[in-house]
Amino acid sequence: MQHVAWDKSMSVGVEILDDDHRKLLDMFNRLLKAGIAEKDRASLSGLLRGLQEYTTVHFKREEALMEQQGYPGLDAHRAAHRYFIDEVHKLTLDDDDSNEMMLRIDLILLLKEWFIEHIQSVDKQYSPFMAEDAGTTARSTTAH
Ligand SMILES: [Fe+2]
């Protein structure tokens, strides 16, 4: 589980969201690798904050696309995202407790498992509702 990376079986059929998922799993992997190697707290906190920020960016993008495509399960999906954001936020608050590193790594692993499970079971449910070109406008909009 520590080094699970994105693969095609996780595809939700929307390239920009697949790219986000790949990037977030890479960030999880980097964080776990740094944590297990007992890197200093500052770099771990930096990685954790990076994960937190990109998660927010990704969830907003995903929710906007679900809304745009009229996905009926949006509210429940939003609630799942909020749960994850809250859990990541709690982790970033634990920075001062120097004895908690192993616990934090365990929590990061659990969150990674949650995220993979979320892609495979919850995210995939919106795939049939996405138009073939879903996300392509979003991509050009964000590029401007
Ligand atoms: Fe999602």
Side-chain angles (χ1 to χ4, degrees), residues 35-102:
I36 290 157
E38 296 180 2
K39 289 270 187 246
D40 62 282
R41 308 189 66 73
S43 55
L44 281 175
S45 295
L47 288 169
L48 198 51
R49 272 167 218 285
L51 177 74
Q52 185 183 26
E53 279 167 25
Y54 202 73
T55 302
T56 307
V57 168
H58 164 62
F59 284 169
K60 268 194 190 146
R61 188 186 345 260
E62 200 175 67
E63 288 168 15
L65 272 173
M66 285 190 279
E67 193 164 15
Q68 198 185 85
Q69 305 290 318
Y71 176 57
L74 178 58
D75 286 346
H77 201 134
R78 257 201 188 114
H81 285 173
R82 210 165 304 131
Y83 165 81
F84 185 84
I85 292 220
D86 286 350
E87 291 304 304
V88 174
H89 181 64
K90 279 186 215 159
L91 263 178
T92 63
L93 300 178
D94 285 344
D95 278 357
D96 297 335
D97 198 339
S98 55
N99 294 320
E100 296 290 315
M101 188 51 74
M102 282 320 290

